[in-house]
Amino acid sequence: MSEQPRAPARRILIVEDETHLAQGLLFNLQAEGYAVILCADGETALQWLLDEHAAFDAIVLDVMLPGKDGFEVAAALRTAKNYTPVLMLTARSRAEDVLAGFAAGADDYLAKPFDLSILLARLHSLLRRVHWTPTPAAPEVASASVATAPDVFHFAGKRIDFEQLELHTPTRIIRLTLMEADLLRHLVCNAGRAVSRKEILEQVWRLHEDTDTRAIDNFIVRLRRYMEADPAHPVHLQTVRGVGYRFQPEEKSAR
Ligand code: CA
């Protein structure tokens, strides 16, 4: 039997203070071939991530932690320009947690209690999307129903690189989170069409309609700061009153 050369195990940091849950995750992720490190509080996790430059491929980050909570940890990481993908664990039916998590820079979320298989699938997807490798000869995948955008989208002197998660403007390069990139991709794929907040919640973020939609507005405010010359008078990310938002690649003002 020939042995496939083994890739080094992906290193996952689990930040969770509930010992039982943390141990369960450790056991199951190790069984999947991951190298797993447990941490029971946010302060220590941040020390490991920032001070000692420990390289992790992904972080499973609980929101409810003693001391610094998950939001603070994620925000501190991103502020320090550490873009290790974060899968945030939130309490069930706390949509505001989910949205606060995205705002803090989390890449994906899972509500507790969760199914282990779902966590594994999300983690796998997060790692695959971040460690993206081009597959030029890949067969057609069944994605006909999914709106597709090119990996790089040019508009009005700017460039969105969906693969590298970067927005290039003439003056700077802005690092996008996966969720920001997903939202932008959806709007770009539907350029010129008004996209409702409900559609964004359901199709981009997999949240239900009863979620407070103001969080989307906060997201749009941030994206406007990235890409609009005058964020108070947006030309690309236009508000469609009573509906939602519309992406307009050309520099023509909304009426
Ligand atoms: Ca906890």
Side-chain angles (χ1 to χ4, degrees):
M1 267 200 336
S2 66
E3 280 271 315
Q4 285 278 88
R6 287 175 67 100
R10 294 288 179 75
R11 284 165 55 86
I12 311 295
L13 177 65
I14 296 175
V15 191
E16 168 62 273
D17 58 315
E18 291 163 54
T19 313
H20 193 72
L21 178 54
Q23 291 292 342
L25 285 175
L26 171 80
F27 178 79
N28 283 286
L29 290 180
Q30 281 179 342
E32 292 289 316
Y34 293 110
V36 182
I37 292 93
L38 293 184
C39 185
D41 71 280
E43 306 268 358
T44 311
L46 265 182
Q47 265 173 28
W48 290 356
L49 286 157
L50 300 181
D51 298 348
E52 296 171 25
H53 302 288
F56 293 97
D57 294 290
I59 306 163
V60 177
L61 179 61
D62 189 38
V63 168
M64 297 293 287
L65 294 168
K68 275 193 182 8
D69 67 17
F71 302 133
E72 292 173 283
V73 172
L77 267 187
R78 299 319 187 215
T79 301
K81 300 200 185 306
N82 179 315
Y83 298 107
T84 308
V86 169
L87 173 60
M88 199 166 258
L89 303 180
T90 66
R92 181 176 280 278
S93 75
R94 289 288 305 269
E96 59 268 42
D97 276 7
V98 173
L99 295 158
F102 289 160
D107 297 290
D108 200 356
Y109 75 96
L110 200 53
K112 285 179 170 181
F114 52 83
D115 202 87
L116 182 70
S117 59
I118 304 287
L119 180 128
L120 291 172
R122 292 283 178 81
L123 193 58
H124 185 74
S125 150
L126 202 57
L127 289 165
R128 196 182 56 227
R129 291 169 66 198
V130 171
H131 297 265
W132 192 261
T133 46
T135 49
E140 274 299 297
V141 281
S143 61
S145 62
V146 180
T148 51
D151 290 333
V152 177
F153 181 79
H154 294 263
F155 71 102
K158 302 171 198 61
R159 178 159 66 89
I160 309 170
D161 189 326
F162 290 108
E163 206 170 283
Q164 299 297 322
L165 302 175
E166 287 172 351
L167 172 68
H168 293 244
T169 75
T171 52
R172 57 184 183 147
I173 300 174
I174 296 135
R175 184 67 160 70
L176 301 170
T177 67
L178 284 171
M179 298 312 295
E180 288 169 346
D182 282 348
L183 173 56
L184 263 181
R185 185 190 289 265
H186 191 82
L187 291 169
V188 164
C189 287
N190 292 282
R193 176 171 81 77
V195 175
S196 71
R197 291 178 178 80
K198 176 176 186 286
E199 179 178 330
I200 293 172
L201 284 175
E202 294 185 353
Q203 295 190 22
V204 183
W205 291 344
R206 302 189 304 269
L207 289 167
H208 292 297
E209 199 189 345
D210 54 357
T211 305
D212 182 355
T213 55
R214 278 172 303 182
I216 296 181
D217 303 343
N218 296 337
F219 244 81
I220 294 285
V221 165
R222 193 156 61 158
L223 290 175
R224 280 176 178 156
R225 281 206 300 267
Y226 296 164
M227 63 166 66
E228 301 284 357
D230 178 3
H233 299 94
V235 297
H236 299 300
L237 287 176
Q238 302 172 350
T239 299
V240 182
R241 194 175 287 262
V243 182
Y245 296 100
R246 176 173 51 220
F247 177 71
Q248 195 63 258
E250 300 90 24
E251 308 250 10
K252 61 184 178 197
S253 56
R255 287 190 43 93

